């Protein structure tokens, strides 16, 4: 159910028209009959989350939100750098050495608190070492110390 809702929200922010974007199907929908009309889903969201109406009807809000997310990540990366911590932004995640995880979490919480007024929830995923050390014929073992790059997200 999360995927159709995300696509629905994107359609509000990008398309500016009241029709289902291609590829959105809720459980029980068929090509001939949809269980939910676009306007009914929109009204249900606004009724349940009244504060979203102002945001959902704002033109180009999606681009403003993407810019805010980018600004937050740049701020986080600059603060990590100032503390001597190497960080890498990956989509909407942050990768750091496992030993630096606590500091990275603290910085992420500080920046989101300052910019948004609250800390965003985050989870940690330990990345497993890659067994194939060759990319394009280059043996990465000779270039990098594997234990130095044990990372967490």
């Amino acid at each position: 159910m999360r995927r159709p809702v995300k696509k629905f929200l994107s359609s509000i922010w990008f398309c500016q028209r009241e029709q289902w974007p291609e590829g959105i199907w809720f459980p029980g929908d068929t090509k001939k009959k949809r269980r939910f009309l676009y306007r009914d889903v929109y009204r249900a969201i606004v009724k349940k989350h009244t504060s979203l109406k102002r945001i959902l009807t704002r033109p180009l809000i999606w681009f403003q939100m993407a810019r805010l997310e980018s600004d937050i990540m740049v701020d986080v990366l600059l603060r990590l750098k100032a503390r001597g911590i190497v960080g890498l932004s990956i989509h909407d995640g942050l990768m750091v050495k496992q030993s630096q995880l606590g500091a990275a979490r603290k910085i992420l919480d500080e920046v989101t608190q300052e910019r948004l007024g609250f800390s965003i929830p985050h989870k940690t995923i330990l990345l497993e070492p890659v067994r194939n050390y060759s990319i394009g014929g280059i043996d990465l073992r000779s270039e990098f110390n594997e234990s130095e790059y044990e990372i967490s997200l």
Side-chain angles (χ1 to χ4, degrees):
M1 195 68 149
R2 183 171 190 251
R3 187 166 187 246
V5 171
K6 284 181 75 174
K7 279 194 170 192
F8 175 77
L9 290 173
S10 292
S11 76
I12 291 172
W13 292 326
F14 282 116
C15 299
Q16 307 282 317
R17 61 179 190 237
E18 290 191 15
Q19 72 181 46
W20 289 109
E22 192 174 319
I24 290 185
W25 297 100
F26 285 95
D29 282 353
T30 66
K31 289 191 180 205
K32 293 185 179 186
K33 179 157 175 41
R34 289 197 175 266
R35 291 179 47 219
F36 306 103
L37 296 176
Y38 185 96
R39 68 177 175 269
D40 295 336
V41 172
Y42 176 83
R43 287 180 187 145
I45 290 171
V46 171
K47 183 178 179 182
K48 175 134 176 93
H49 305 283
T50 54
S51 60
L52 285 180
K53 184 174 185 175
R54 183 174 54 90
I55 295 169
L56 293 176
T57 57
R58 206 165 149 192
L60 303 178
I61 187 68
W62 182 258
F63 299 108
Q64 294 167 354
M65 291 172 63
R67 172 63 191 261
L68 177 61
E69 180 183 28
S70 176
D71 289 346
I72 288 170
M73 190 56 74
V74 167
D75 196 357
V76 167
L77 290 169
L78 289 173
R79 291 186 193 195
L80 288 169
K81 181 182 176 191
R83 292 189 184 177
I85 300 171
V86 176
L88 176 64
S89 169
I90 300 177
H91 186 51
D92 51 0
L94 176 66
M95 187 166 46
V96 295
K97 285 184 181 181
Q98 187 175 9
S99 61
Q100 302 294 337
L101 182 59
R105 280 181 159 177
K106 184 178 179 192
I107 290 170
L108 182 61
D109 288 341
E110 288 170 1
V111 172
T112 56
Q113 182 68 43
E114 290 169 15
R115 295 211 176 227
L116 303 173
F118 58 90
S119 295
I120 59 172
H122 45 79
K123 65 179 180 178
T124 302
I125 301 169
L126 179 62
L127 300 177
E128 297 296 326
V130 176
R131 296 293 170 222
N132 181 2
Y133 296 99
S134 176
I135 297 177
I138 299 170
D139 185 358
L140 298 177
R141 288 176 290 193
S142 63
E143 301 293 324
F144 301 103
N145 178 348
E146 179 184 328
S147 63
E148 186 178 333
Y149 290 92
E150 186 173 330
I151 49 180
S152 294
L153 178 70

